[in-house]
């Protein structure tokens, strides 16, 4: 799995489980180790899999499947069939002296260095809310949030007689407030009977939204091994008060509004936001560019203060075409005196090269699709597109954009259809990196030929550029 591969790995897992559970998230090492859901056309070749969603730079060993959350209500009483909620240390809400999580309590919990530092520096506020339901006990231990992301620490105890696993986690702030699960770190493998596991969930937030204190943490726990459920998912809701103001005074925003130019393509760097949880660089491509920008290659932020220089590592890199955000790890410094931003190049293509017209019944390419081959599975009503990315080397594995299509396509009658269950794969085929994308065409009739738009693929332009931000 490379640094530029995105999430929604649901399709094959659901097929293997015969729709008996909805897959919410998985870690890549679990997926590849167990080989769950490897379809008949892919079982012998798979090396990496990805779907659509967030793109990660630093956490390349993890995929997350996530969706925008709708409001829900959590039970707080002891009514029959309802979970039981207990509270430990009171949630400090917006109080400045709210209790912080103890780093010693997280020793041995698998997490990256960035999250470990956040806890060690006292940025994770304690919550200590517990809910028990159907033999599982979920304790919401703490959270840390700025205006872009949220880290939530939780522990789950399995008091049933079956192996189980945490299949999804969510944070619900109410209707219309953005919250999207990005990754889960922590104990690997299943919850064996009698065991307790601790996890850190990473949630994407939006700087455009105002987040209320009242929220619901929601987890799905499924008995059985991954892809082989032994029962229905148990949903546990934990109402809590988020510490929405705890880190507000530690956020610094640097307005930039200057352009970085690579091979004639202009990228406007809008602003850099520095918080205890991360560094966020907002950028947008110039509308006058003659190429469509897929990604920035090997972006780096160099920050300097009186104590020295730090190069921040990128984490999630993703967003929508024309406007994007680079998400870097938090830096070991405060209020840097200088900030430099650099890239090794861009991945981009002529807009016409993103257009693909093909017959979805025969797989014949009518227009576009240079270097692509298409196969059709009429029984599953799906198509698979394949292309050779380049040499199967470390650079391409780390930096190559995932091959993806836009979510909808238009048939010959002008009717728009939505693609379903995208599943991408990468493999080493005779020293070449080969990439494939399988998508479902939906249940409706498709008038031939149909027009698709390519959202991204690896087309590097290696030309270094640097911009002094501060």
């Amino acid at each position: 799995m490379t640094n530029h591969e995105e999430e929604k790995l649901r399709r094959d897992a659901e097929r293997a489980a015969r729709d008996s559970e909805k897959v919410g998230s998985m870690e890549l090492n679990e997926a590849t180790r167990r080989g769950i859901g490897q379809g008949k056309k892919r079982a012998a070749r798979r090396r990496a899999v990805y779907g659509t969603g967030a793109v990660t730079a630093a956490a390349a060993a993890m995929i997350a499947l996530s969706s925008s959350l709708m409001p829900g209500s959590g039970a707080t009483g002891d009514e029959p069939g309802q979970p039981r909620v207990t509270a430990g240390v009171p949630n400090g809400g917006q109080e400045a002296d709210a209790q912080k999580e103890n780093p010693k309590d997280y020793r041995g919990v698998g997490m990256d260095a960035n999250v470990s530092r956040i806890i060690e520096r006292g940025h994770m506020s304690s919550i200590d809310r517990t809910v028990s339901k159907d033999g599982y006990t979920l304790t919401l231990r703490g959270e840390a949030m700025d205006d872009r992301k949220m880290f939530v620490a939780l522990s789950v105890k399995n008091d049933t007689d079956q192996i189980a696993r945490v299949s999804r986690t969510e944070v619900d702030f109410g209707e219309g407030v953005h919250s999207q699960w990005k990754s889960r770190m922590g104990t690997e493998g299943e919850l064996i009977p009698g065991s307790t596991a601790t996890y850190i969930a990473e949630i994407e937030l939006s700087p455009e939204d105002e987040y209320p204190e009242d929220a619901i943490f929601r987890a799905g726990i499924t008995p059985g091994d991954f892809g082989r459920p032994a029962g229905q998912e148990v949903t546990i809701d934990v109402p809590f008060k988020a510490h929405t103001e705890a880190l507000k005074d530690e956020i610094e925003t640097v307005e930039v509004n200057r352009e970085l130019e690579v091979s004639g393509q202009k990228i406007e760097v809008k602003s850099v936001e520095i918080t205890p949880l991360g560094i966020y660089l907002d950028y947008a491509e110039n509308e006058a560019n003659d190429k469509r920008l897929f990604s920035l290659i090997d972006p780096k932020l160099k920050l300097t203060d009186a104590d020295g220089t730090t190069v921040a590592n990128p984490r999630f890199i993703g967003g929508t075409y024309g406007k994007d955000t680079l998400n870097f790890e938090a830096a070991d410094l405060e209020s840097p005196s200088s900030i430099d931003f650099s890239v090794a190049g861009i991945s981009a293509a002529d807009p016409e090269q993103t257009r693909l017209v093909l017959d979805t019944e025969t797989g014949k390419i009518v227009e576009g699709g240079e270097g692509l081959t298409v196969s059709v599975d009429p029984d599953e009503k799906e198509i698979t597109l394949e292309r050779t990315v380049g040499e199967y080397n470390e650079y391409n594995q780390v930096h190559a954009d995932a091959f993806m299509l836009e979510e909808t396509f238009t048939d010959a009658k002008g009717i728009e259809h939505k693609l379903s269950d995208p599943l991408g794969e990468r493999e080493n085929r005779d020293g070449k990196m080969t990439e494939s994308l399988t998508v479902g065409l939906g249940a409706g009739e498709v008038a031939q030929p149909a027009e698709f738009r390519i959202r991204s693929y690896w087309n590097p332009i290696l030309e270094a550029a640097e911009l002094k931000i501060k």
Side-chain angles (χ1 to χ4, degrees):
M1 174 56 105
T2 73
N3 290 349
H4 293 275
E5 295 174 340
E6 297 203 52
E7 8 154 336
K8 269 187 188 178
L9 193 58
R10 184 182 62 204
R11 180 176 174 280
D12 276 2
E14 287 181 338
R15 184 174 293 173
R18 296 300 178 188
D19 296 325
S20 58
E21 75 169 324
K22 180 180 179 182
V23 175
S25 168
M26 80 178 86
E27 296 176 2
L28 177 61
N29 56 5
E30 181 180 353
T32 54
R33 184 179 68 246
R34 299 188 180 282
I36 299 302
Q38 297 185 2
K40 58 183 178 295
K41 297 189 296 294
R42 327 188 219 329
R45 305 193 325 265
R46 176 167 302 172
R47 291 299 178 271
V49 287
Y50 53 88
T52 58
V55 187
T56 172
M62 196 171 292
I63 308 174
L65 308 183
S66 54
S67 60
S68 297
L69 309 178
M70 298 300 291
S73 60
T76 57
D78 293 332
E79 298 88 348
Q82 298 297 323
R84 181 178 180 182
V85 182
T86 60
V89 179
N91 187 344
Q94 307 306 318
E95 297 177 10
D97 59 351
Q99 182 172 333
K100 305 300 182 181
E101 286 295 275
N102 189 339
K104 293 181 180 179
D105 296 336
Y106 291 87
R107 289 177 179 172
V109 176
M111 67 182 83
D112 61 38
N114 186 65
V115 179
S116 179
R117 285 194 300 267
I118 288 168
I119 298 174
E120 289 172 358
R121 294 172 186 168
H123 297 310
M124 181 167 283
S125 300
S126 297
I127 296 176
D128 198 10
R129 296 275 294 176
T130 296
V131 174
S132 296
K133 182 180 179 182
D134 295 349
Y136 304 107
T137 298
L138 189 156
T139 299
L140 196 59
R141 298 170 59 165
E143 54 86 359
M145 65 182 293
D146 56 22
D147 62 348
R148 305 289 187 115
K149 77 170 64 158
M150 184 181 205
F151 290 106
V152 183
L154 63 141
S155 293
V156 180
K157 184 179 181 184
N158 179 9
D159 286 320
T160 73
D161 59 359
Q162 297 185 85
I163 288 175
R165 64 184 182 85
V166 177
S167 47
R168 62 186 175 94
T169 56
E170 305 171 354
V171 178
D172 183 354
F173 287 96
E175 186 173 2
V177 183
H178 177 74
S179 176
Q180 186 173 11
W181 182 21
K182 285 299 183 184
S183 72
R184 186 187 67 226
M185 295 162 270
T187 308
E188 295 184 9
E190 302 86 2
L191 277 165
I192 64 173
S195 71
T196 300
T198 297
Y199 305 97
I200 308 290
E202 183 170 0
I203 309 294
E204 177 189 87
L205 307 178
S206 168
E208 308 297 327
D209 291 343
E210 290 291 332
Y211 285 85
E213 289 185 18
D214 293 328
I216 295 171
F217 181 83
R218 182 172 298 121
I221 304 173
T222 303
D225 200 353
F226 176 77
R228 295 188 290 273
Q232 294 297 313
E233 179 187 83
V234 176
T235 299
I236 299 181
D237 285 0
V238 185
F240 72 103
K241 288 190 177 297
H243 298 79
T244 58
E245 302 292 326
L247 301 179
K248 289 280 186 174
D249 293 340
E250 300 181 63
I251 296 176
E252 176 186 357
T253 301
V254 179
E255 297 295 337
V256 183
N257 298 317
R258 296 200 303 276
E259 287 185 330
L260 183 78
E261 186 170 338
V262 179
S263 188
Q265 309 305 302
K266 295 180 179 180
I267 299 103
E268 181 183 3
V269 178
K270 294 180 171 295
S271 64
V272 174
E273 184 177 304
I274 303 171
T275 87
L277 306 190
I279 304 172
Y280 313 99
L281 185 147
D282 292 326
Y283 71 93
E285 61 181 301
N286 192 305
E287 293 182 359
N289 289 346
D290 60 5
K291 295 186 185 299
R292 176 166 177 177
L293 180 68
F294 301 140
S295 69
L296 307 180
I297 300 174
D298 197 17
K300 294 184 184 298
L301 266 184
K302 185 171 69 174
L303 307 100
T304 302
D305 67 359
D307 295 327
T309 298
T310 296
V311 177
N313 294 315
R315 288 175 63 82
F316 292 108
I317 302 176
T320 57
Y321 167 57
K323 183 178 185 300
D324 218 327
T325 296
L326 300 182
N327 181 339
F328 295 86
E329 291 183 349
D332 291 315
L333 46 78
E334 296 180 3
S335 191
S337 57
S338 71
I339 304 173
D340 296 291
F341 175 58
S342 65
V343 298
I346 60 174
S347 179
D350 295 335
E352 189 60 27
Q353 291 179 304
T354 66
R355 181 171 177 266
L356 172 65
V357 180
L358 62 86
D359 188 316
T360 63
E361 294 178 353
T362 65
K364 180 182 178 181
I365 297 175
V366 179
E367 295 180 42
E370 182 179 354
L372 280 177
T373 59
V374 181
S375 60
V376 177
D377 186 336
D379 294 332
E380 299 290 345
K381 200 173 182 184
E382 64 183 23
I383 59 173
T384 297
L385 300 88
E386 279 193 354
R387 65 186 297 268
T388 298
V389 177
E391 299 296 325
Y392 193 85
N393 54 38
E394 183 178 359
Y395 192 88
N396 283 336
Q397 291 179 61
V398 168
H399 297 292
D401 294 303
F403 176 46
M404 291 184 292
L405 299 176
E406 297 289 359
E407 294 182 353
T408 60
F409 67 97
T410 305
D411 69 16
K413 292 183 178 180
I415 299 173
E416 188 174 80
H417 303 259
K418 187 171 183 178
L419 294 172
S420 62
D421 300 330
L423 177 67
E425 304 167 29
R426 279 189 179 153
E427 62 175 299
N428 183 352
R429 191 179 294 177
D430 297 326
K432 300 291 185 181
M433 181 183 287
T434 301
E435 192 165 47
S436 67
L437 176 68
T438 300
V439 292
L441 301 174
E445 292 297 323
V446 178
Q448 304 301 326
E451 181 175 326
F452 299 77
R453 284 289 175 176
I454 298 172
R455 180 178 172 187
S456 69
Y457 65 93
W458 183 228
N459 195 41
I461 301 172
L462 297 178
E463 180 181 305
E466 185 172 348
L467 177 67
K468 178 166 281 296
I469 290 175
K470 182 180 178 182

